[in-house]
Amino acid sequence: MTARVVITGIGIAAPNGFGAEDYWAATRVGKNALGRITRFDATQYPARLAGEIQGFEARDHLPGRLIPQTDRMTQLALVATDSAFEDAGVKPVDIPEYDMGVVTASTAGGFEFGQNELQALWSKGSQYVSAYQSFAWFYAVNSGQISIRNGMRGHSAVVVSEQAGGLDAIAQARRQIRKGSKLICSGGFDASICPWGWVAQLTNGRISTSDNPERAYVPFDADASGYVPGEGGALLILEDAEAARLRGAENVYGELAGYGSTFDPKPGSGREPGLRRAIELALADAGVEAGDIDVVFADAAGTRELDRVEAEALVAVFGPAGVPVTAPKTMTGRLYSGAAPVDVVAALLAMREGLIPPTVNVTLAPEYAIDLVTGQARPAPLRNALVVARGYGGFNSAVVVRGTD
């Protein structure tokens, strides 16, 4: 089946904005949310900056019984789901339970919850370890908790492909809607800003050790030296377009029109990285040509080699400076599985306003032949947006998002 799948609801929690309105108000003006880590003492660590969500208290949003069961990432995801349903004008109790499903992505699972329980084990003994540890740390926990809380018993799954996972999850949601599901809640969240999670992230060797929040994460810049991690993500309500029309959906943001994914060849093989092919597959799936894309939301890895690979892929598909490119994640840090869904939200809101958000604090290096939007937002008519994401280990994904008429 090739039914059109549309996005009718948005729930987002990002370091520079909680909720779609706050997030877009900050993003369109280039508000940088990177700063010194406050969630633990990072003084002795080589990297000390992150994109943190400030002021979030789970007890202000969720029933008290859920708090001891859930990690911070799950709490954020549950609140975002509530917002997405409200935004879509949907009450889960009004939809047959087997017509609704959940597909989320996760990179690390509930790391902070796991750390706390391990500390209890080491310092107090096994009898002090929470029974909820059996699932609260797990990659699939967000899908499980969302489905239980909202009575969603249709197709549910989790995707684990690091930064690319958010796009892969959304694409799987589209696939399930085309198979007959009426509604899927999909996206990704991660929140591993804790000592155990921080050490794990540092092992990839790609995190910036700069202490300057305005220069630590500068992809496509001559001074690029890695990325700054962040926490958060977004969850979207995806529906069959005809079903959304019949129920009278008033808030259709756009269509998930195309998707492509590839895996990089073995390092040292001499074969081309897979990003270009993923982009071409997404364009073909959407039935559009390169010239139909009005803006690209870049992966923006922040290392010289990975930035070069992405720039070369974009030039190969679109030509030198052939399409405006932006990376608003420079304001929030890389949110792992949550990053690409946040970029999809940015793309939808950018198309709605006709405004490309900026890539903050970056001076484009001459070696990259791309049209990077820096400094301030750029007005432009936007009909089709491409969102690109790459995951550690060789994952490449791309989606084409089409605006409403």
Side-chain angles (χ1 to χ4, degrees):
M1 295 178 63
T2 56
R4 292 177 59 238
V5 175
V6 295
I7 297 102
T8 58
I10 291 173
I12 182 172
N16 66 342
F18 204 99
E21 183 176 340
D22 286 348
Y23 168 74
W24 183 242
T27 298
R28 67 190 303 280
V29 298
K31 181 180 178 181
N32 186 12
L34 304 184
R36 190 88 174 191
I37 291 173
T38 63
R39 292 189 54 75
F40 67 96
D41 183 2
T43 305
Q44 300 303 314
Y45 292 80
R48 293 169 288 274
L49 299 180
E52 294 181 327
I53 295 173
Q54 303 289 345
F56 173 72
E57 293 292 339
R59 294 184 184 278
D60 294 340
H61 305 276
L62 298 171
R65 62 178 176 78
L66 279 175
I67 307 305
Q69 300 180 29
T70 49
D71 181 78
R72 180 176 172 87
M73 70 151 190
T74 303
Q75 295 163 3
L76 289 165
L78 288 170
V79 175
T81 301
D82 291 348
S83 296
F85 272 120
E86 182 179 0
D87 189 37
V90 171
K91 294 182 178 179
V93 295
D94 295 337
I95 300 177
E97 56 189 6
Y98 285 100
D99 285 348
M100 301 181 292
V102 186
V103 181
T104 66
S106 177
T107 296
F111 242 89
E112 188 171 18
F113 194 104
Q115 174 182 301
N116 291 338
E117 298 313 310
L118 284 173
Q119 287 177 323
L121 174 65
W122 296 332
S123 63
K124 299 178 182 180
S126 59
Q127 66 270 32
Y128 291 94
V129 176
S130 170
Y132 298 123
Q133 167 67 2
S134 61
F135 60 81
W137 70 272
F138 193 49
Y139 300 99
V141 67
N142 288 351
S143 289
Q145 290 284 15
I146 291 168
S147 63
I148 292 169
R149 177 169 165 80
N150 295 284
M152 307 167 79
R153 302 182 69 180
H155 176 89
S156 294
V158 63
V159 177
V160 183
S161 47
E162 216 248 359
Q163 186 95 358
L167 295 187
D168 296 335
I170 292 169
Q172 187 176 139
R174 182 182 71 154
R175 190 178 306 120
Q176 294 305 318
I177 290 173
R178 287 179 168 180
K179 288 182 177 181
S181 295
K182 295 296 189 297
L183 179 152
I184 301 283
C185 177
S186 186
F189 266 86
D190 270 300
S192 296
I193 304 178
C194 61
W196 190 27
W198 203 246
V199 170
Q201 293 175 67
L202 288 169
T203 60
N204 70 21
R206 296 178 179 176
I207 295 180
S208 172
T209 57
S210 170
D211 283 327
N212 183 348
E214 295 186 352
R215 293 297 295 166
Y217 179 29
V218 286
F220 307 111
D221 190 298
D223 293 332
S225 60
Y227 69 92
V228 174
E231 61 179 353
L235 286 163
L236 311 175
I237 302 300
L238 291 90
E239 298 184 68
D240 173 88
E242 181 62 14
R245 186 189 68 80
L246 290 174
R247 76 167 179 84
E250 298 180 356
N251 202 18
V252 178
Y253 287 95
E255 176 188 357
L256 185 62
Y259 166 71
S261 66
T262 60
F263 198 78
D264 284 338
K266 180 181 178 180
S269 67
R271 296 166 56 198
E272 180 184 357
L275 182 59
R276 173 184 178 178
R277 180 60 177 157
I279 294 171
E280 292 171 341
L281 289 170
L283 297 181
D285 187 39
V288 299
E289 303 291 335
D292 297 321
I293 298 297
D294 301 306
V295 61
V296 173
F297 286 76
D299 175 68
T303 69
R304 299 299 294 274
E305 175 59 21
L306 290 173
D307 288 349
R308 179 190 63 78
V309 168
E310 183 168 23
E312 288 180 351
L314 295 177
V315 169
V317 174
F318 299 103
V323 61
V325 177
T326 188
K329 60 173 64 72
T330 53
M331 307 174 208
T332 64
R334 288 173 70 84
L335 310 184
Y336 297 101
S337 69
V342 168
D343 276 349
V344 170
V345 170
L348 293 168
L349 299 177
M351 288 188 290
R352 175 167 287 192
E353 185 171 345
L355 190 72
I356 302 172
T359 307
V360 300
N361 301 321
V362 172
T363 300
L364 180 65
E367 65 200 80
Y368 304 117
I370 60 174
D371 177 16
L372 189 67
V373 178
T374 60
Q376 59 186 13
R378 181 188 299 179
L382 305 173
R383 170 63 175 162
N384 294 296
L386 176 74
V387 179
V388 176
R390 291 174 292 176
Y392 183 79
F395 299 98
N396 304 284
S397 296
V399 301
V400 174
V401 184
R402 180 174 296 138
T404 56
D405 294 327

